[in-house]
């Protein structure tokens, strides 16, 4: 089984990124995220790869996000284009394509150039039956009703803190997806933006003592963290008990392709830092999540029909919109996730499954 951004053209992108990043990953102060000289060298190499592929790349924010133009994703990609896009994702963590005309088949074909798509065992009725690799995010609107709640109540009970919505995809698994490719079909005329944050930049931005401390820690990531049960019988609580998913991940993971150190926190799945009291854990996680979501590490994307976002799920967290549900406009998105590997900490030790998850089994 392949994991990560595997492709026939992968070696080119690896050369672009690793020449600068991997050899310096042991020292965060030397990492391109924190070192302007290294950053400039990496950007120069990436620009050359993009130019050789006939593409144009425009950074969208200081630490994360870039727009890529000059390619029709539905036409199929050459190896040079695959390598350049892959390198851009590794460098900028999320890249955006506008005005694309991908259908479901084209979406899956594009994803396969970069890795093995995840096939979920359970999807909602909005997802296309003939394309098991695609999950339609309109399915999310069905979830509250499935458990006897209106969608607004469903969101309110799940979001116990202001930062609760920040997440990586399927972070409670022992092998979260390596990447996600999200395509917009129908979007509201306003509202509905998505925001991403760069967890490599967040780690590099910590003080050296805090980086060292965080690198020693592990935390349990669990589905359903912080859910506020309904009075009496709650169908979602019963669902969580019957479908528990949890893993213990390093609080700082080493990126398997770039060697970057990633602050592996989110507001959606992280339950508790192992070995610490609940009070100690809560205070430290609150601090680290606040650092991970500082505005300077983020980029916000305004969707249009045909837009595609491609992000590194190992190095980012993202925030789905919460400003459009009351507007009544439809928002239909389709996503394909690429299979990932088991995270490894700075001590070389991998994540461990707790319950309901094993590598490669979806």
């Amino acid at each position: 089984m392949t994991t990560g951004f595997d492709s026939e053209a992968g070696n080119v992108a690896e050369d672009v990124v690793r020449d600068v990043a991997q050899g310096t990953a042991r020292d965060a102060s030397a990492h391109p995220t924190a070192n302007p000289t290294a950053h400039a060298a990496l950007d120069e190499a990436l620009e050359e790869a993009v130019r050789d592929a006939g593409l144009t790349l425009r950074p969208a924010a200081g630490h994360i996000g870039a727009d890529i133009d000059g390619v029709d994703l539905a036409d199929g990609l050459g190896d040079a284009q695959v390598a350049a896009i892959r390198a851009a994702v590794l460098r900028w963590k999320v890249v955006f394509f506008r005005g694309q005309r991908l259908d479901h088949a084209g979406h899956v074909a594009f994803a396969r150039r970069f890795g093995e798509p995840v096939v979920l065992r359970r999807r909602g009725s909005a997802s296309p039956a003939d394309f098991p690799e695609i999950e339609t995010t309109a399915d999310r609107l069905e979830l509250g009703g499935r458990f006897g709640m209106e969608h607004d109540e469903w969101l309110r009970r799940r979001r116990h803190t202001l930062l609760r919505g920040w997440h990586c995809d399927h972070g409670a698994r022992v092998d979260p997806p390596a990447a996600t490719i999200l395509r917009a079909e129908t979007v509201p005329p306003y509202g509905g933006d998505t925001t991403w944050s760069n967890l490599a930049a967040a780690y590099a931005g910590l003080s050296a003592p805090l980086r060292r401390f965080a690198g020693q820690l592990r935390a349990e990531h669990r589905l359903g963290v912080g859910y506020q049960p309904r009075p009496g019988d709650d169908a979602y609580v019963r669902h969580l008990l019957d479908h528990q998913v949890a893993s213990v991940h390093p609080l700082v993971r080493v990126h398997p392709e770039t060697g970057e150190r990633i602050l592996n926190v989110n507001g959606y799945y992280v339950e508790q830092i192992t070995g610490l009291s609940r009070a100690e854990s809560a205070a430290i996680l609150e601090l680290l999540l606040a650092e991970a979501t500082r505005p300077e590490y983020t980029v916000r994307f305004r969707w249009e029909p045909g837009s595609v976002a491609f992000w590194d799920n190992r190095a980012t967290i993202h925030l789905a919109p919460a400003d459009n549900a009351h507007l009544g406009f439809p928002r239909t998105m389709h996503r394909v996730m690429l299979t990932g590997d088991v995270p490894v900490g700075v001590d070389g030790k991998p994540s461990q499954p707790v319950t309901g998850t094993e590598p490669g089994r979806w």
Side-chain angles (χ1 to χ4, degrees), residues 14 17 28 32 42 75 101 117 145 160 169 175 193 235 274 276 283 318:
E14 289 171 5
V17 176
L42 180 57
D75 278 347
R101 51 187 182 89
H160 62 292
D169 287 336
D175 58 343
D193 300 355
T274 58
L276 302 187
H318 59 280

Side-chain angles (χ1 to χ4, degrees), residues 115-183:
E116 182 67 27
V118 167
V119 175
L120 297 171
R121 284 182 287 174
R122 292 185 298 271
R123 298 179 299 157
S125 62
S127 293
D130 295 336
F131 296 92
E133 305 90 345
I134 294 178
E135 184 179 25
T136 298
T137 57
D139 292 339
R140 301 293 179 208
L141 298 177
E142 302 176 0
L143 290 177
R146 189 183 305 171
F147 303 112
M149 287 176 271
E150 295 293 332
H151 186 65
D152 287 347
E153 181 185 359
W154 163 253
L155 290 178
R156 185 174 69 252
R157 293 191 177 279
R158 291 167 66 227
R159 293 188 173 179
H160 62 292
T161 72
L162 292 177
L163 298 179
R164 171 66 164 82
W166 285 98
H167 68 287
C168 63
D169 287 336
H170 290 271
R173 288 186 52 87
V174 72
D175 58 343
T180 298
I181 301 169
L182 187 62
R183 167 172 57 99

Side-chain angles (χ1 to χ4, degrees), residues 73-96:
L73 303 181
D75 278 347
L77 302 177
D79 287 349
Q81 292 174 314
V82 171
I85 291 170
R86 182 171 174 271
V89 173
L90 291 173
R91 164 63 178 90
W92 288 103
K93 313 309 180 199
V94 56
V95 298
F96 309 113

Side-chain angles (χ1 to χ4, degrees), residues 2-260:
T2 57
T3 60
F5 298 155
D6 297 317
S7 73
E8 296 176 357
N11 290 337
V12 178
E14 289 171 5
D15 291 343
V16 170
V17 176
R18 285 180 177 168
D19 282 351
V20 177
Q22 195 171 47
T24 61
R26 292 183 181 86
D27 179 3
S29 66
H31 192 273
T33 306
N35 187 318
T37 301
H39 236 161
L42 180 57
D43 286 341
E44 183 177 349
L46 176 59
E47 287 175 8
E48 182 178 353
V50 168
R51 184 169 57 251
D52 290 347
L55 309 177
T56 58
L57 182 147
R58 293 174 291 107
H63 286 286
I64 181 173
D67 293 284
I68 295 180
D69 299 314
V71 61
D72 185 341
L73 303 181
D75 278 347
L77 302 177
D79 287 349
Q81 292 174 314
V82 171
I85 291 170
R86 182 171 174 271
V89 173
L90 291 173
R91 164 63 178 90
W92 288 103
K93 313 309 180 199
V94 56
V95 298
F96 309 113
F97 305 88
R98 293 194 179 275
Q100 299 298 317
R101 51 187 182 89
L102 285 176
D103 57 12
H104 292 325
H107 191 168
V108 174
F110 172 70
R112 286 193 180 280
R113 293 306 308 271
F114 299 92
E116 182 67 27
V118 167
V119 175
L120 297 171
R121 284 182 287 174
R122 292 185 298 271
R123 298 179 299 157
S125 62
S127 293
D130 295 336
F131 296 92
E133 305 90 345
I134 294 178
E135 184 179 25
T136 298
T137 57
D139 292 339
R140 301 293 179 208
L141 298 177
E142 302 176 0
L143 290 177
R146 189 183 305 171
F147 303 112
M149 287 176 271
E150 295 293 332
H151 186 65
D152 287 347
E153 181 185 359
W154 163 253
L155 290 178
R156 185 174 69 252
R157 293 191 177 279
R158 291 167 66 227
R159 293 188 173 179
H160 62 292
T161 72
L162 292 177
L163 298 179
R164 171 66 164 82
W166 285 98
H167 68 287
C168 63
D169 287 336
H170 290 271
R173 288 186 52 87
V174 72
D175 58 343
T180 298
I181 301 169
L182 187 62
R183 167 172 57 99
E185 178 182 319
T186 305
V187 298
Y190 51 88
D193 300 355
T194 303
T195 306
W196 288 262
S197 187
N198 182 342
L199 298 180
Y203 173 80
L206 300 177
S207 64
L210 189 51
R211 287 198 300 265
R212 288 193 296 270
F213 178 54
Q216 303 173 44
L217 301 176
R218 294 189 171 243
E220 181 176 293
H221 295 232
R222 179 176 290 271
L223 183 64
V225 168
Y227 174 73
Q228 181 186 51
R230 306 182 89 193
D233 182 57
D234 189 316
Y236 186 58
V237 170
R238 286 190 274 110
H239 170 79
L240 290 174
L241 292 174
D242 292 339
H243 301 85
Q244 296 184 59
V245 180
S247 302
V248 173
H249 290 303
L251 206 58
V252 179
R253 70 173 293 185
V254 178
H255 196 288
E257 296 188 73
T258 68
E260 294 170 291

Side-chain angles (χ1 to χ4, degrees), residues 318-331:
H318 59 280
L319 183 65
D323 66 343
N324 62 302
H326 67 289
L327 300 175
F329 299 119
R331 185 178 185 271

